[in-house]
Short mmCIF file of all heavy atoms in Angstrom, two decimals:
data_model
loop_
_atom_site.label_atom_id
_atom_site.label_comp_id
_atom_site.label_asym_id
_atom_site.label_seq_id
_atom_site.Cartn_x
_atom_site.Cartn_y
_atom_site.Cartn_z
N ALA A 3 -12.97 -5.91 -15.01
CA ALA A 3 -12.58 -6.66 -13.82
C ALA A 3 -13.79 -7.43 -13.29
O ALA A 3 -14.94 -7.08 -13.55
CB ALA A 3 -12.05 -5.71 -12.75
N HIS A 4 -13.51 -8.50 -12.53
CA HIS A 4 -14.58 -9.25 -11.90
C HIS A 4 -15.28 -8.38 -10.86
O HIS A 4 -14.65 -7.59 -10.16
CB HIS A 4 -14.01 -10.51 -11.24
CG HIS A 4 -13.53 -11.52 -12.22
ND1 HIS A 4 -13.18 -12.81 -11.86
CD2 HIS A 4 -13.35 -11.46 -13.57
CE1 HIS A 4 -12.81 -13.49 -12.94
NE2 HIS A 4 -12.90 -12.68 -13.97
N GLU A 5 -16.60 -8.53 -10.76
CA GLU A 5 -17.38 -7.76 -9.80
C GLU A 5 -17.48 -8.55 -8.50
O GLU A 5 -18.09 -9.62 -8.46
CB GLU A 5 -18.77 -7.46 -10.36
CG GLU A 5 -18.75 -6.58 -11.60
CD GLU A 5 -20.15 -6.27 -12.10
OE1 GLU A 5 -21.12 -6.65 -11.40
OE2 GLU A 5 -20.26 -5.65 -13.17
N ILE A 6 -16.88 -8.03 -7.46
CA ILE A 6 -16.83 -8.75 -6.19
C ILE A 6 -17.56 -7.97 -5.10
O ILE A 6 -17.65 -6.75 -5.13
CB ILE A 6 -15.38 -9.00 -5.75
CG1 ILE A 6 -14.61 -7.67 -5.63
CG2 ILE A 6 -14.66 -9.94 -6.71
CD1 ILE A 6 -13.21 -7.81 -5.09
N ASP A 7 -18.09 -8.72 -4.14
CA ASP A 7 -18.68 -8.13 -2.94
C ASP A 7 -17.71 -8.34 -1.79
O ASP A 7 -16.91 -9.30 -1.79
CB ASP A 7 -20.02 -8.79 -2.62
CG ASP A 7 -21.05 -8.56 -3.74
OD1 ASP A 7 -21.16 -7.42 -4.20
OD2 ASP A 7 -21.71 -9.54 -4.14
N TYR A 8 -17.78 -7.47 -0.78
CA TYR A 8 -16.79 -7.57 0.30
C TYR A 8 -17.36 -7.00 1.59
O TYR A 8 -18.35 -6.26 1.60
CB TYR A 8 -15.52 -6.81 -0.07
CG TYR A 8 -15.70 -5.31 -0.16
CD1 TYR A 8 -15.53 -4.49 0.95
CD2 TYR A 8 -16.09 -4.71 -1.36
CE1 TYR A 8 -15.73 -3.12 0.87
CE2 TYR A 8 -16.29 -3.35 -1.45
CZ TYR A 8 -16.11 -2.56 -0.32
OH TYR A 8 -16.31 -1.20 -0.39
N GLU A 9 -16.68 -7.33 2.68
CA GLU A 9 -16.98 -6.76 4.00
C GLU A 9 -15.69 -6.66 4.78
O GLU A 9 -14.89 -7.60 4.80
CB GLU A 9 -17.99 -7.63 4.75
CG GLU A 9 -18.41 -7.04 6.09
CD GLU A 9 -19.47 -7.85 6.81
OE1 GLU A 9 -19.90 -8.89 6.23
OE2 GLU A 9 -19.86 -7.49 7.93
N ILE A 10 -15.45 -5.50 5.37
CA ILE A 10 -14.23 -5.27 6.16
C ILE A 10 -14.56 -5.47 7.63
O ILE A 10 -15.51 -4.87 8.15
CB ILE A 10 -13.67 -3.86 5.89
CG1 ILE A 10 -13.23 -3.75 4.43
CG2 ILE A 10 -12.49 -3.57 6.82
CD1 ILE A 10 -12.78 -2.36 4.02
N HIS A 11 -13.78 -6.30 8.31
CA HIS A 11 -14.01 -6.63 9.71
C HIS A 11 -12.90 -6.05 10.59
O HIS A 11 -11.74 -5.95 10.16
CB HIS A 11 -14.05 -8.15 9.91
CG HIS A 11 -15.14 -8.84 9.14
ND1 HIS A 11 -16.41 -9.03 9.64
CD2 HIS A 11 -15.14 -9.38 7.89
CE1 HIS A 11 -17.15 -9.67 8.75
NE2 HIS A 11 -16.40 -9.89 7.67
N GLY A 12 -13.25 -5.74 11.84
CA GLY A 12 -12.25 -5.31 12.80
C GLY A 12 -12.12 -3.80 12.87
O GLY A 12 -12.70 -3.06 12.09
N GLU A 13 -11.31 -3.37 13.84
CA GLU A 13 -11.09 -1.94 14.06
C GLU A 13 -9.64 -1.55 13.77
O GLU A 13 -9.36 -0.83 12.83
CB GLU A 13 -11.45 -1.57 15.50
CG GLU A 13 -12.94 -1.74 15.82
CD GLU A 13 -13.82 -0.82 14.97
OE1 GLU A 13 -13.34 0.27 14.60
OE2 GLU A 13 -14.96 -1.20 14.68
N GLU A 14 -8.70 -2.06 14.58
CA GLU A 14 -7.30 -1.68 14.41
C GLU A 14 -6.50 -2.71 13.60
O GLU A 14 -5.58 -2.36 12.88
CB GLU A 14 -6.63 -1.49 15.78
CG GLU A 14 -7.33 -0.43 16.63
CD GLU A 14 -7.46 0.91 15.93
OE1 GLU A 14 -6.56 1.27 15.16
OE2 GLU A 14 -8.47 1.61 16.16
N MET A 15 -6.84 -4.00 13.76
CA MET A 15 -6.19 -5.07 12.98
C MET A 15 -7.26 -5.65 12.07
O MET A 15 -7.91 -6.64 12.41
CB MET A 15 -5.58 -6.12 13.89
CG MET A 15 -4.32 -5.66 14.60
SD MET A 15 -2.97 -5.26 13.46
CE MET A 15 -2.65 -6.84 12.71
N GLN A 16 -7.48 -5.06 10.94
CA GLN A 16 -8.60 -5.41 10.08
C GLN A 16 -8.27 -6.52 9.09
O GLN A 16 -7.11 -6.81 8.82
CB GLN A 16 -9.06 -4.17 9.30
CG GLN A 16 -9.63 -3.07 10.16
CD GLN A 16 -10.20 -1.93 9.33
OE1 GLN A 16 -9.70 -1.62 8.25
NE2 GLN A 16 -11.24 -1.30 9.84
N PHE A 17 -9.34 -7.15 8.60
CA PHE A 17 -9.21 -8.04 7.45
C PHE A 17 -10.42 -7.83 6.55
O PHE A 17 -11.49 -7.39 7.01
CB PHE A 17 -9.07 -9.51 7.87
CG PHE A 17 -10.31 -10.14 8.43
CD1 PHE A 17 -11.21 -10.83 7.62
CD2 PHE A 17 -10.58 -10.08 9.80
CE1 PHE A 17 -12.34 -11.43 8.13
CE2 PHE A 17 -11.73 -10.67 10.34
CZ PHE A 17 -12.61 -11.35 9.49
N VAL A 18 -10.24 -8.10 5.26
CA VAL A 18 -11.33 -7.93 4.31
C VAL A 18 -11.80 -9.31 3.86
O VAL A 18 -11.00 -10.16 3.49
CB VAL A 18 -10.90 -7.06 3.10
CG1 VAL A 18 -9.68 -7.63 2.40
CG2 VAL A 18 -12.05 -6.91 2.11
N GLU A 19 -13.10 -9.53 3.93
CA GLU A 19 -13.72 -10.78 3.51
C GLU A 19 -14.37 -10.54 2.14
O GLU A 19 -15.27 -9.71 2.02
CB GLU A 19 -14.75 -11.22 4.53
CG GLU A 19 -15.43 -12.54 4.23
CD GLU A 19 -16.48 -12.87 5.27
OE1 GLU A 19 -17.47 -12.11 5.37
OE2 GLU A 19 -16.31 -13.86 5.99
N ILE A 20 -13.91 -11.26 1.13
CA ILE A 20 -14.37 -11.06 -0.24
C ILE A 20 -15.24 -12.23 -0.66
O ILE A 20 -14.86 -13.39 -0.52
CB ILE A 20 -13.18 -10.90 -1.21
CG1 ILE A 20 -12.36 -9.67 -0.81
CG2 ILE A 20 -13.65 -10.79 -2.65
CD1 ILE A 20 -11.10 -9.49 -1.61
N GLU A 21 -16.44 -11.92 -1.15
CA GLU A 21 -17.39 -12.94 -1.59
C GLU A 21 -17.26 -13.13 -3.09
O GLU A 21 -17.36 -12.18 -3.86
CB GLU A 21 -18.81 -12.52 -1.23
CG GLU A 21 -19.86 -13.58 -1.52
CD GLU A 21 -21.24 -13.14 -1.09
OE1 GLU A 21 -21.87 -12.37 -1.84
OE2 GLU A 21 -21.69 -13.56 0.00
#
Side-chain angles (χ1 to χ4, degrees):
H4 290 191
E5 296 182 6
I6 57 175
D7 297 314
Y8 67 90
E9 184 176 359
I10 296 174
H11 299 271
E13 295 298 330
E14 302 305 326
M15 287 298 296
Q16 295 186 327
F17 71 92
V18 56
E19 182 182 64
I20 298 175
E21 186 177 80

